[in-house]
C-alpha cells in the first residue's frame, strides 16, 4: 500500500487523454504543446487540495499567469511540486489551451505511529529513531529511512535477520496510521571461526585470544558469541597484538570476511593471516638526556635481554614504566620514545629507548568540573598534591584512588594532565560524574536465617554535599528487631579528623534447632551507643578510637524454661536447669558494658568499596571494664589481599582471627566470658555450615529404653540414645578464640549480565572456633528417680515412684517425671573446618542478595553443615 501511494506525476493533453507515466525514479514529464507554438498562460487553477491553499501550492512553482510556457517549464513545475513531498500525485492539464489546471492529491497526515512485534527492543528504544511523527505529513522516503534506522538498531543487537514492514491504515479526512510490523528474528551468532595461513599456532589458541567466541551453550552468559562488526575489527587487533608478543613482527591480517548464512541466522567468519618470520631482540639499551636518569642503570633494569624473543608488549610496558619513573621525579611530560631497527638478515630487532630532556614540572592548578552537588573541598582534600607542589604521578594515582573510594562518582575516574601556562607547569583536571549517594529502601524478603524480614532504611553518604554520612534504619524479622541511627563527619573543622556516633536498640532472639524446627532459647535486648574518632597517621595508616556504652537484658521464656512459672509454689519462679540447661540459666540477667577500643588500619586498596588490587590489615582491641558489670579484652586481627588477574578475574585471599581474655575468674564449669560476649562462627562467615554451625555446643539427646512388661517400674533394659537428628536439641554456646580464612575468585561476566549487578564467584573457606570451658552437663538416665512420676497418698503417707500414672482415687501427683536425657559437649576444637563452593552476589532492586552452594569437606563432630543458603538484605 505504501508503494502505491506515490505514483509518478504526468501532465495531460488538452483532450484529457492520460499519457504513460515515467518509471520509478524518473522525473515526471508532460506532453508539450507543438514545438512550433509558444503559448502564454491565461490562468492557473489548483484542484484536489484539501489542507493547502491554492496560493501555497502555486508558490512552489514558477508558473504565473501572463508568462510564456513550454515543455521545460511544465516539467520543472512538476519536479518542484514533487520535491516538496506534500503530494502523493500531481498532474497538469490544459497545456494546449493555456488554462492550466494543477491536479494534486495530498500526502496524508499521520495520526499515530504504532510498533508491532517488538519484544527484545521496547518502544522507548525504537521511538527516538523514528523521524515520522503524529500530525506530520507522511512520505514514502521518510518511511523508508525509518525502516532502515529500525533495522540498524536490531543489527546493533546482533539480530541481522530482523525485518520491518511499514503498513498504512487509511482513516477519514486523509489521515493514516503508520504501523511498523517488526519480525525481530533470533540473534545472529557466530557459528564458526576459520583461520587460514596460521602455521605456528593452532586455531583454538588464536580464537582464545579473540573477544568473539563460537556459539556454544556455555557462552550464553557471556554475550560474546553474537556477530558485531566492531568486535571483528577489535579481534584483528588482538591477533596482531598476540603475534607481536611472540616475536612475529611482520604479522598481518590479509583479510577478514564475515558471511551470513542463507537462513540469515548465523555468521561464519574467515581470517586470512600471514605470520612472517620470528624475530629476537638484538641490542637493547636506554639513552637518557635527563640528569636524574643514568643510562647504564636504566639499561640494566630493562626486562628484555639480547637473544630473547621479540615482544612488542614488553616495549610498551617499558615505555610506561620509564614515564612513571620520570613522573616520580617530577617530569610530568617526559618524552620516552623507543627507536626500533629491524635486521632482516639475522632476524633481530634493536631497541633503544630515548628519554628526551624535559623540565621538571610543578602543579599550576587543579580544576574540578561536573560536581553539581559535592563541594569542591570534598574532592580537593583527597588530592595528595597541592597547587605549587612538584609533580609526582604516584601521588596523582593515589589521589585518583582516594576520590574513587568516596563512592560519590563514576567508575574508572581519571585525572588528566595538561600543559600549563609555561613548559614547567601542569594543570591537573578531574571531570566527575556524580552518582546517587542517597538511598531510601523499603524491602521485604525471606532469609534462610531470619525467615521473613522487612527493612526500612534511609542513608545519605554525601549529606549536604560535604561527604558526611547520615543513616537511620528499622529492621524487623521473625526473630529479631532493631532500630539504629548514625552520623559521621569525615573532616571536623576542615581537618582530617573523623568523628561520629551511633545509637541503637536491638531485640535479638537466640535459637537452637530441634531437627529442622528453630526454637528460641534466650532473648537479648541491647540498648546503647558509641562515640567514634578517627585520624590518619600516614597516607596508608589510620587510627580509630571509640567508646561504647551498652545495656543488655537477657532473659528466658518463663513458660518454657522456668519451674513453677505461675508462682503457685512457695518459691518464686526460677530457671530450671533440667529444662533449659545450666549454661542457659547462667546467662540470664541484666548487665552494663562500658568499653573503650581502638583500630589501626593499614590499607593500599585501590577502592575501599569494591577493591580489585592492594591489601589491607586491621588490628582492633576493645577493653570492657571502665565501670559496668563485665571486664574483658577482645582482640581481632584481619587482613586481605586482592589481585586483578587475567581478563578482570578478581582473586582475593583474606584471613582473620580473634581472642577474648576475661579479667574475671568464673568457675570450673562457668566460663568467665558470658555467652552473649563470645564469638560465633557459621554462615555467612564460613559457607557450607549453618548459622552458628561451627564451634562449641551442647546437645541434648533422649534415652530410648525397654521395660519388663510384668514390672514396668523396674530397671530399664536395652538403654540407648535416640540419634535421630530431628530429636536432638542443639545449642551453640560460642567460643573465646577463632580463626577464619578465605580464598575467592570473582568471575567476570558479559556486559549485559554485569549491568544487572550479578557477580559470581568460587571460594574455599577455612575456619574454627574454640576455647570455652565445658559447662556442667546433665544426665537423667531411665533409672534416675527424676525419670519417675512421684505419687503421694492423699490421706498422707509415703511417696511412690512409678513410670505410669497415679491412682486418681487415692494419690496425688506431686512431681511429674522428666523424660530421660543426657547432655554432651562437642565442637570445642581448633581443628580446621573446610568448605568449597560457588555463589552469586546480586545488587537487586530489593537490596543485596547472596546465594551460596557449598560443601563441607572437613568438619568436627557436632558441626551443623548446610549445602544451600541464601540471604536478602545482609551485607556481603
Amino acid at each position: 500500500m505504501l508503494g502505491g501511494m506515490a505514483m509518478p506525476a504526468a501532465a495531460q493533453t488538452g483532450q484529457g487523454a492520460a499519457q504513460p507515466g515515467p518509471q520509478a525514479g524518473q522525473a515526471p514529464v508532460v506532453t508539450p504543446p507543438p514545438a512550433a507554438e509558444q503559448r502564454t498562460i491565461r490562468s492557473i487553477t489548483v484542484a484536489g487540495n484539501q489542507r493547502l491553499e491554492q496560493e501555497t501550492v502555486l508558490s512552489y512553482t514558477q508558473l504565473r499567469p501572463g508568462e510564456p510556457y513550454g515543455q521545460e517549464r511544465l516539467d520543472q513545475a512538476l519536479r518542484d511540486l514533487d520535491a516538496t513531498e506534500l503530494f502523493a500525485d500531481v498532474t497538469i492539464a490544459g497545456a494546449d489551451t493555456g488554462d492550466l489546471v494543477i491536479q494534486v492529491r495530498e500526502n496524508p497526515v499521520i495520526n499515530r505511529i504504532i510498533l508491532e512485534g517488538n519484544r527484545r527492543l521496547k518502544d522507548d528504544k525504537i521511538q527516538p529513531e523514528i523521524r515520522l511523527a503524529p500530525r506530520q505529513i507522511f512520505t514514502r522516503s521518510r518511511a523508508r529511512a525509518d525502516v532502515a534506522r529500525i533495522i540498524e538498531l536490531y543489527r546493533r543487537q546482533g539480530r541481522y535477520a530482523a525485518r520491518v514492514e511499514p503498513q498504512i491504515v487509511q482513516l477519514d479526512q486523509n489521515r493514516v496510521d503508520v504501523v511498523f510490523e517488526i519480525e525481530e528474528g533470533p540473534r545472529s551468532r557466530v557459528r564458526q571461526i576459520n583461520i587460514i595461513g596460521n602455521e605456528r599456532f593452532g586455531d583454538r589458541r588464536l580464537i582464545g585470544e579473540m573477544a568473539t567466541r563460537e556459539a556454544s551453550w556455555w557462552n550464553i552468559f557471556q554475550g560474546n558469541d553474537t556477530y558485531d562488526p566492531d568486535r571483528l575489527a577489535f579481534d584483528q587487533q588482538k591477533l596482531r597484538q598476540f603475534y607481536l608478543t611472540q616475536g612475529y613482527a611482520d604479522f598481518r591480517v590479509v583479510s577478514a570476511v564475515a558471511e551470513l548464512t542463507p537462513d540469515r541466522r548465523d555468521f561464519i567468519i574467515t581470517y586470512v593471516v600471514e605470520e612472517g618470520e620470528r624475530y629476537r631482540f638484538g641490542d637493547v639499551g636506554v639513552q637518557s638526556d635527563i640528569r636524574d636518569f643514568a643510562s647504564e642503570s636504566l639499561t640494566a633494569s630493562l626486562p628484555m635481554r639480547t637473544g630473547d624473543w621479540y615482544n612488542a608488549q614488553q616495549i610498551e610496558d617499558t615505555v610506561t614504566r620509564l614515564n612513571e619513573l620520570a613522573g616520580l621525579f617530577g617530569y610530568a611530560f617526559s618524552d620516552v620514545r623507543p627507536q626500533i631497527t629491524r635486521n632482516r638478515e639475522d632476524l633481530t630487532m634493536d631497541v633503544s629507548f630515548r628519554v628526551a630532556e624535559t623540565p621538571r614540572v610543578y602543579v599550576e592548578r587543579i580544576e574540578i568540573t561536573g560536581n553539581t552537588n559535592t563541594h569542591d573541598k570534598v574532592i580537593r582534600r583527597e588530592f595528595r598534591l597541592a597547587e605549587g607542589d612538584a609533580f609526582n604521578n604516584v601521588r596523582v594515582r593515589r589521589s585518583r584512588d582516594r576520590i574513587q573510594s568516596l563512592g560519590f562518582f563514576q567508575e574508572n575516574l581519571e585525572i588528566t594532565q595538561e600543559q600549563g601556562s609555561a613548559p614547567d607547569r601542569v594543570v591537573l583536571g578531574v571531570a566527575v560524574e556524580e552518582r546517587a549517594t542517597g538511598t531510601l529502601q523499603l524491602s521485604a524478603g525471606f532469609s534462610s536465617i531470619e525467615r521473613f524480614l522487612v527493612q526500612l532504611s534511609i542513608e545519605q553518604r554525601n549529606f549536604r554535599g560535604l561527604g558526611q554520612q547520615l543513616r537511620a534504619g528499622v529492621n524487623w524479622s521473625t526473630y529479631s528487631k532493631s532500630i539504629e541511627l548514625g552520623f559521621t563527619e569525615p573532616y571536623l573543622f576542615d581537618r582530617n579528623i573523623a568523628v561520629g556516633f551511633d545509637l541503637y536498640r536491638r531485640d535479638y532472639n537466640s535459637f537452637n534447632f530441634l531437627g529442622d524446627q528453630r526454637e528460641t532459647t534466650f532473648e537479648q535486648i541491647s540498648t546503647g551507643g558509641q562515640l567514634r574518632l578517627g585520624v590518619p597517621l600516614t597516607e596508608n595508616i589510620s587510627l580509630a578510637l571509640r567508646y561504647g556504652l551498652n545495656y543488655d537484658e537477657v532473659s528466658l521464656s518463663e513458660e518454657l524454661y522456668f519451674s513453677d512459672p505461675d508462682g503457685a509454689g512457695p518459691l518464686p519462679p526460677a530457671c530450671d536447669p533440667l529444662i533449659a540447661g545450666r549454661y542457659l540459666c547462667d546467662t540470664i540477667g541484666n548487665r552494663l558494658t562500658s568499653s573503650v577500643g581502638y583500630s589501626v588500619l593499614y590499607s593500599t586498596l585501590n577502592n575501599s568499596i569494591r577493591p580489585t588490587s592492594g591489601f589491607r590489615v586491621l588490628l582492633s582491641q576493645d577493653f570492657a571494664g571502665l565501670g559496668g558489670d563485665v571486664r574483658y579484652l577482645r582482640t581481632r586481627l584481619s587482613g586481605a589481599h586482592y589481585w586483578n588477574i587475567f581478563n578482570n578475574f578478581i582473586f582475593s585471599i583474606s584471613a582473620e582471627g580473634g581472642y577474648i581474655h576475661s579479667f574475671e575468674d568464673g568457675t570450673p564449669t562457668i566460663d568467665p566470658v558470658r555467652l552473649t560476649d563470645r564469638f560465633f562462627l557459621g554462615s555467612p562467615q564460613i559457607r557450607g555450615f549453618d548459622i552458628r554451625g561451627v564451634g562449641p555446643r551442647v546437645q541434648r539427646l533422649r534415652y530410648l529404653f525397654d521395660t519388663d512388661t510384668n514390672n514396668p517400674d523396674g530397671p530399664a533394659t536395652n538403654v540407648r540414645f535416640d540419634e535421630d537428628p530431628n530429636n536432638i536439641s542443639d545449642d551453640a554456646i560460642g567460643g573465646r578464640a577463632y580463626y577464619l580464612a578465605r580464598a575467592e575468585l570473582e568471575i567476570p561476566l558479559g556486559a549485559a549480565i554485569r549491568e544487572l549487578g550479578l557477580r559470581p564467584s568460587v571460594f574455599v573457606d577455612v575456619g574454627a572456633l574454640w576455647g570455652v570451658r565445658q559447662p556442667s552437663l546433665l544426665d537423667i538416665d531411665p533409672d534416675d528417680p527424676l525419670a519417675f512420676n512421684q505419687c503421694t497418698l492423699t490421706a498422707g503417707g509415703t511417696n511412690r515412684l512409678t513410670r505410669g500414672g497415679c491412682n486418681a482415687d487415692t494419690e496425688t501427683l506431686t512431681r511429674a517425671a522428666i523424660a530421660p536425657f543426657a547432655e554432651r559437649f562437642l565442637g570445642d576444637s581448633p581443628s580446621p573446618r573446610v568448605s568449597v563452593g560457588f555463589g552469586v552476589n546480586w545488587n537487586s532492586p530489593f537490596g543485596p542478595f547472596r546465594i551460596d552452594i557449598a560443601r563441607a569437606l572437613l568438619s568436627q563432630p557436632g558441626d551443623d553443615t548446610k549445602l544451600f543458603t541464601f540471604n536478602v538484605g545482609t551485607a556481603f
Side-chain angles (χ1 to χ4, degrees):
M1 194 168 191
L2 174 63
M5 291 191 59
M7 295 185 63
Q12 297 180 354
T13 64
Q15 287 75 22
Q19 300 300 316
Q23 298 299 318
Q26 296 179 349
V29 297
V30 296
T31 301
E37 298 184 21
Q38 207 32 265
R39 297 185 178 275
T40 301
I41 301 175
R42 298 172 56 188
S43 65
I44 304 177
T45 305
V46 178
N49 55 314
Q50 297 177 349
R51 299 185 308 275
L52 299 175
E53 297 294 336
Q54 175 170 310
E55 291 76 11
T56 303
V57 177
L58 293 177
S59 68
Y60 294 123
T61 72
Q62 298 180 3
L63 300 177
R64 298 293 183 269
E67 295 183 357
Y69 70 95
Q71 176 182 359
E72 183 178 351
R73 294 198 64 186
L74 294 178
D75 287 346
Q76 184 61 44
L78 288 174
R79 285 193 293 267
D80 292 341
L81 291 172
D82 188 63
T84 64
E85 295 189 340
L86 296 174
F87 309 104
D89 189 21
V90 180
T91 60
I92 299 178
D96 56 343
T97 64
D99 294 320
L100 302 182
V101 179
I102 302 177
Q103 184 71 37
V104 299
R105 180 159 58 89
E106 295 178 349
N107 273 328
V109 174
I110 299 172
N111 179 56
R112 57 178 177 163
I113 305 293
I114 302 173
L115 299 174
E116 292 183 354
N118 55 310
R119 294 179 178 84
R120 299 295 180 178
L121 284 178
K122 301 303 180 184
D123 289 5
D124 60 345
K125 300 293 185 183
I126 300 177
Q127 289 285 5
E129 298 296 325
I130 298 177
R131 299 295 181 262
L132 293 176
R135 296 185 298 277
Q136 290 185 358
I137 302 298
F138 172 83
T139 65
R140 181 179 58 179
S141 60
R142 295 173 66 186
R144 284 197 298 263
D146 285 344
V147 167
R149 278 188 286 267
I150 295 173
I151 290 177
E152 180 61 26
L153 274 181
Y154 278 98
R155 288 188 173 183
R156 293 176 195 169
Q157 299 290 322
R159 299 182 184 277
Y160 281 78
R163 298 178 182 273
V164 180
E165 292 292 338
Q167 300 292 338
I168 304 302
V169 179
Q170 293 285 355
L171 304 175
D172 57 356
Q173 299 179 353
N174 199 24
R175 296 177 302 125
V176 293
D177 285 342
V178 181
V179 182
F180 290 99
E181 294 183 351
I182 302 173
E183 182 182 337
E184 295 181 317
R187 282 183 177 270
S188 300
R189 308 176 74 185
V190 177
R191 179 183 300 178
Q192 186 177 350
I193 299 177
N194 301 317
I195 304 177
I196 300 174
N198 54 313
E199 299 177 358
R200 304 290 184 175
F201 301 98
D203 288 3
R204 293 297 95 193
R205 173 69 184 279
L206 296 181
I207 292 174
E209 297 294 327
M210 301 178 187
T212 304
R213 292 288 184 268
E214 294 178 341
S216 57
W217 64 267
W218 57 82
N219 282 328
I220 58 176
F221 296 114
Q222 294 289 340
N224 57 359
D225 59 355
T226 58
Y227 174 70
D228 185 341
D230 294 335
R231 195 186 299 138
L232 181 67
F234 178 72
D235 286 340
Q236 295 180 57
Q237 293 298 322
K238 293 284 288 182
L239 281 176
R240 176 163 175 77
Q241 289 175 6
F242 170 73
Y243 270 95
L244 287 178
T245 61
Q246 303 299 317
Y248 294 90
D250 297 328
F251 172 84
R252 67 189 186 99
V253 178
V254 178
S255 65
V257 179
E259 297 176 293
L260 191 61
T261 56
D263 59 4
R264 301 181 64 84
R265 290 179 175 270
D266 297 320
F267 277 89
I268 298 176
I269 300 177
T270 302
Y271 294 94
V272 178
V273 301
E274 185 178 299
E275 292 179 327
E277 298 291 343
R278 194 176 188 185
Y279 288 78
R280 295 181 183 271
F281 279 113
D283 296 332
V284 293
V286 178
Q287 298 180 7
S288 174
D289 296 334
I290 301 178
R291 62 179 182 179
D292 297 318
F293 282 31
S295 300
E296 295 77 11
S297 59
L298 291 176
T299 299
S301 65
L302 292 177
M304 67 282 294
R305 294 290 182 270
T306 300
D308 292 347
W309 290 115
Y310 174 75
N311 189 329
Q313 186 63 48
Q314 276 189 332
I315 296 177
E316 293 182 12
D317 293 343
T318 301
V319 171
T320 301
R321 188 175 65 85
L322 290 175
N323 277 317
E324 290 177 349
L325 184 62
L328 184 62
F329 286 90
Y331 299 97
F333 303 109
S334 58
D335 184 12
V336 180
R337 298 182 182 180
Q339 298 176 349
I340 302 175
T341 303
R342 186 193 310 262
N343 302 312
R344 298 186 182 276
E345 296 77 11
D346 56 2
L347 298 179
T348 60
M349 305 283 280
D350 297 337
V351 182
S352 176
F353 296 94
R354 178 66 181 271
V355 183
E357 183 177 4
T358 55
R360 191 183 298 273
V361 176
Y362 297 86
V363 178
E364 181 174 351
R365 65 181 183 276
I366 298 174
E367 295 181 347
I368 301 172
T369 59
N371 53 319
T372 58
N373 178 57
T374 306
H375 291 209
D376 269 17
K377 68 178 183 179
V378 174
I379 303 174
R380 288 184 182 276
R381 66 196 182 195
E382 301 301 327
F383 270 89
R384 302 298 93 185
L385 287 167
E387 294 171 347
D389 288 351
F391 177 84
N392 186 310
N393 63 353
V394 173
R395 293 189 175 186
V396 171
R397 286 198 304 273
R398 180 59 180 165
S399 301
R400 178 201 62 195
D401 293 343
R402 289 179 64 92
I403 297 173
Q404 192 84 71
S405 295
L406 291 174
F408 304 161
F409 311 113
Q410 78 275 18
E411 298 287 343
N412 302 322
L413 181 144
E414 293 294 338
I415 297 178
T416 61
Q417 306 166 22
E418 297 181 0
Q419 181 74 52
S421 59
D424 62 345
R425 296 290 184 267
V426 62
V427 176
L428 301 181
V430 53
V432 300
E433 298 175 11
E434 291 185 318
R435 299 190 299 187
T437 56
T439 57
L440 175 61
Q441 180 176 331
L442 174 61
S443 61
F446 183 85
S447 166
S448 59
I449 298 174
E450 296 291 340
R451 301 298 190 263
F452 290 102
L453 53 90
V454 177
Q455 294 181 333
L456 173 62
S457 63
I458 181 171
E459 180 182 10
Q460 177 53 260
R461 295 180 291 108
N462 189 15
F463 185 55
R464 300 190 302 157
L466 296 174
Q468 299 167 337
Q469 298 179 19
L470 177 66
R471 67 184 184 278
V474 177
N475 297 326
W476 181 93
S477 73
T478 305
Y479 301 108
S480 63
K481 305 169 184 64
S482 68
I483 180 171
E484 300 182 2
L485 175 67
F487 176 78
T488 302
E489 167 55 69
Y491 276 76
L492 182 63
F493 305 126
D494 291 329
R495 295 183 178 276
N496 201 355
I497 301 174
V499 296
F501 70 86
D502 299 290
L503 299 175
Y504 58 85
R505 179 179 174 87
R506 305 185 182 110
D507 184 351
Y508 172 74
N509 293 343
S510 185
F511 57 89
N512 64 15
F513 284 100
L514 182 59
D516 293 332
Q517 185 67 33
R518 173 172 171 161
E519 295 184 338
T520 297
T521 53
F522 66 85
E523 299 178 357
Q524 179 182 354
I525 299 177
S526 299
T527 305
Q530 188 179 77
L531 298 175
R532 295 175 277 107
L533 173 69
V535 293
L537 302 181
T538 67
E539 176 61 28
N540 297 316
I541 301 177
S542 59
L543 172 68
L545 305 175
R546 56 187 169 272
Y547 172 76
L549 189 65
N550 184 80
Y551 184 70
D552 285 328
E553 303 171 72
V554 182
S555 60
L556 296 173
S557 171
E558 294 187 3
E559 295 182 0
L560 296 178
Y561 298 109
F562 277 42
S563 59
D564 192 19
D566 298 328
L571 298 176
C575 179
D576 189 346
L578 295 176
I579 303 175
R582 289 194 177 95
Y583 56 92
L584 284 181
C585 291
D586 294 336
T587 301
I588 61 175
N590 301 336
R591 297 177 179 85
L592 179 67
T593 302
S594 176
S595 64
V596 62
Y598 74 91
S599 297
V600 178
L601 173 66
Y602 178 79
S603 175
T604 62
L605 298 181
N606 65 335
N607 191 315
S608 60
I609 299 175
R610 284 194 57 190
T612 58
S613 65
F615 66 96
R616 69 188 297 271
V617 178
L618 177 66
L619 171 65
S620 298
Q621 285 190 307
D622 291 278
F623 171 73
L626 298 179
D629 304 318
V630 295
R631 294 186 301 148
Y632 63 78
L633 177 66
R634 177 189 284 117
T635 303
R636 289 186 179 183
L637 178 64
S638 64
H641 203 307
Y642 296 83
W643 294 270
N644 188 344
I645 55 180
F646 53 92
N647 293 330
N648 292 323
F649 283 81
I650 309 301
F651 180 67
S652 62
I653 295 178
S654 60
E656 63 177 282
Y659 181 75
I660 302 177
H661 174 73
S662 176
F663 296 101
E664 302 176 45
D665 296 331
T667 69
T669 58
I670 299 178
D671 197 276
V673 177
R674 60 177 180 165
L675 186 145
T676 54
D677 290 328
R678 298 171 192 165
F679 297 117
F680 288 88
L681 193 60
S683 177
Q685 298 97 337
I686 179 169
R687 293 156 289 191
F689 294 85
D690 207 348
I691 177 70
R692 298 188 173 188
V694 173
R697 59 211 322 104
V698 174
Q699 291 184 344
R700 180 173 287 195
L701 295 85
R702 299 189 308 177
Y703 277 109
L704 299 178
F705 58 92
D706 299 326
T707 57
D708 188 346
T709 56
N710 297 323
N711 183 18
D713 294 334
T717 61
N718 192 22
V719 179
R720 62 196 182 277
F721 285 121
D722 184 356
E723 297 287 354
D724 185 353
N726 294 322
N727 296 326
I728 298 176
S729 176
D730 190 326
D731 281 320
I733 61 175
R736 295 167 59 182
Y738 83 98
Y739 66 83
L740 177 65
R742 174 180 301 162
E744 189 160 4
L745 179 65
E746 184 177 314
I747 303 171
L749 295 175
I753 303 298
R754 188 167 57 249
E755 288 177 358
L756 298 177
L758 293 174
R759 293 183 289 120
S761 63
V762 293
F763 54 82
V764 177
D765 291 348
V766 180
L769 175 71
W770 76 99
V772 70
R773 295 179 185 178
Q774 178 175 323
S776 178
L777 303 177
L778 299 175
D779 188 352
I780 307 299
D781 64 50
D783 294 327
D784 193 295
L786 294 176
F788 292 81
N789 289 318
Q790 179 176 288
C791 300
T792 304
L793 292 174
T794 306
T798 60
N799 299 326
R800 180 174 69 89
L801 299 179
T802 178
R803 298 188 193 275
C806 298
N807 189 324
D809 297 330
T810 61
E811 296 178 324
T812 301
L813 178 65
T814 55
R815 191 192 69 232
I818 296 175
F821 70 88
E823 293 177 338
R824 62 185 180 187
F825 179 64
L826 300 171
D828 187 30
S829 169
S831 298
R833 281 76 158 176
V834 181
S835 66
V836 298
F838 64 91
V840 177
N841 288 327
W842 179 31
N843 292 329
S844 73
F846 309 101
F849 178 95
R850 173 80 194 189
I851 182 171
D852 288 300
I853 298 177
R855 180 176 180 84
L857 300 182
L858 290 179
S859 61
Q860 295 297 315
D863 289 345
D864 190 4
T865 61
K866 194 166 188 177
L867 178 66
F868 174 82
T869 57
F870 72 93
N871 294 286
V872 175
T874 58
F876 47 79

